[in-house]
Amino acid sequence: MSFSVEERGKPNTKSYRLFFKNAQGKYISPFHDIPMFADESQNIFHMVVEVPRWTNAKMEIATKDLLNPIKQDEKKGKLRYVANVFPHKGYIWNYGAIPQTWEDPSHKDGDTGCCGDNDPIDVCEIGSRVCSRGDVIKVKILGVLAMIDEGETDWKVIAINVDDPEAKDLNNISDVKRLKPGYLEATVDWFKWYKVPDGKPKNKFAFNEEFKDKDFAIEVIKSTHNFWKALISQNCTAGELNCKNTCVSNGDSSYCCSEDEAKTAVCETCPCGKEEPIPSSVEKWFYYEK
């Protein structure tokens, strides 16, 4: 199963969009149409890479837009970039999401005591290769961190690309602690501080900032898949989420997006243009007494 992307608009501007296609060249939604499992028998999952390691632009699957392309998040009318909180430069992993998952904002998690954040579940891929925006990779799950972001449960799955040279040696969160000392501590530190330069408080975590293991993580992912299934079958309220898809819902469903409708939606966006420069302020460093 292979996927490709089509750029529209100008990178580093509000017009930029990254649309997805399947192997047949059909436009698809990375939120709904890419299967969660790459190999269910081996618990191998698909991951959609939104942000390559070391970059700062806060790119994400646009859950409220038709076909859910990747675009840059905005805040107060400006494009969002994560700050460099010393010693971290941009994102310290390849960051993205597992398709066909959804953290239900109406469900209070029994472990965290907080409801979901209304997004697909997030993934931090810790392999050696820097991925590209829009890559769809196959990952094995190693563990999970339970972040509490402004009162919402925001799980952070730790995973590794199955094609990474290090993948054979990393099979659970204990292997990450042993073979990549300091990486998990840096991950907690990153998530704790990354919003502070924007005037937000430090993020908090369940389980006393401890990572849960592979089996726990897989159960969390499967529960968010069940929430997504309820969403896509219209058994719960979607709110502002755009659930239209080209491969999952039947033709008589209001969530079914025809090929013509999908093509029209893409054509109505700006054609691909020259990249705009990233603001120099993005290179600023922030220092905090920890």
Side-chain angles (χ1 to χ4, degrees):
M1 187 173 290
S2 62
F3 305 92
S4 60
V5 290
E6 179 179 325
E7 287 188 302
R8 302 284 295 183
K10 298 168 69 175
N12 306 322
T13 72
K14 296 179 183 180
S15 70
Y16 182 78
R17 299 289 185 276
L18 196 65
F19 289 94
F20 286 73
K21 296 179 180 179
N22 62 15
Q24 291 72 46
K26 181 178 181 179
Y27 288 112
I28 60 171
S29 157
F31 186 5
H32 305 300
D33 290 317
I34 297 175
M36 179 182 75
F37 279 114
D39 184 343
E40 186 171 1
S41 66
Q42 299 296 316
N43 274 324
I44 303 299
F45 295 80
H46 281 123
M47 171 187 174
V48 178
V49 177
E50 297 165 312
V51 186
R53 186 191 292 121
W54 311 136
T55 63
N56 297 75
K58 193 177 188 307
M59 312 299 297
E60 59 186 20
I61 293 171
T63 58
K64 299 175 183 177
D65 294 0
L66 181 60
L67 295 178
N68 312 120
I70 288 178
K71 69 177 184 180
Q72 191 164 351
D73 190 23
E74 296 179 35
K75 186 168 185 177
K76 296 181 179 179
K78 293 185 178 181
L79 295 176
R80 284 188 68 185
Y81 294 88
V82 299
N84 303 306
V85 179
F86 185 83
H88 308 305
K89 173 65 178 77
Y91 287 73
I92 63 173
W93 348 255
N94 296 302
Y95 190 71
I98 295 178
Q100 296 187 341
T101 63
W102 178 53
E103 296 192 55
D104 185 351
S106 68
H107 172 77
K108 181 180 284 189
D109 185 85
D111 292 308
T112 67
C114 298
C115 295
D117 71 348
N118 205 32
D119 283 327
I121 199 166
D122 297 321
V123 188
C124 304
E125 192 280 320
I126 65 170
S128 54
R129 181 172 72 91
V130 176
C131 294
S132 297
R133 183 186 302 153
D135 281 353
V136 180
I137 62 175
K138 299 174 183 179
V139 299
K140 62 178 177 178
I141 307 304
L142 304 174
V144 68
L145 177 68
M147 189 175 91
I148 310 300
D149 186 354
E150 298 182 35
E152 296 177 332
T153 301
D154 192 0
W155 296 103
K156 305 298 182 184
V157 174
I158 307 300
I160 188 165
N161 189 336
V162 296
D163 295 326
D164 194 276
E166 299 174 327
K168 65 183 185 301
D169 299 317
L170 294 169
N171 297 292
N172 212 325
I173 203 69
S174 57
D175 296 323
V176 183
K177 294 176 182 177
R178 179 171 54 88
L179 297 174
K180 292 179 176 281
Y183 206 170
L184 297 181
E185 292 83 354
T187 294
V188 173
D189 187 69
W190 196 97
F191 281 118
K192 183 181 291 185
W193 290 91
Y194 84 104
K195 287 188 175 181
V196 172
D198 296 327
K200 295 288 184 69
K202 291 183 290 184
N203 280 319
K204 298 179 180 179
F205 306 85
F207 309 116
N208 197 31
E209 302 184 358
E210 289 295 319
F211 289 78
K212 304 300 281 185
D213 67 10
K214 172 184 180 176
D215 291 339
F216 187 99
I218 289 174
E219 288 306 308
V220 169
I221 295 167
K222 288 180 177 178
S223 71
T224 63
H225 181 55
N226 287 332
F227 294 141
W228 172 82
K229 286 194 288 188
L231 174 71
I232 206 70
S233 60
Q234 298 179 273
N235 289 327
C236 61
T237 302
E240 294 182 337
L241 297 178
N242 195 311
C243 295
K244 282 210 164 189
N245 59 85
T246 60
C247 302
V248 177
S249 299
N250 295 324
D252 59 351
S253 168
S254 60
Y255 286 167
C256 180
C257 179
S258 69
E259 288 192 50
D260 287 342
E261 184 181 0
K263 289 178 182 177
T264 299
V266 175
C267 289
E268 285 177 348
T269 62
C270 299
C272 189
K274 185 179 178 181
E275 179 177 329
E276 290 289 326
I278 294 174
S280 59
S281 58
V282 175
E283 297 303 314
K284 181 179 178 179
W285 288 87
F286 293 83
Y287 300 84
Y288 295 98
E289 187 71 44
K290 299 180 182 180

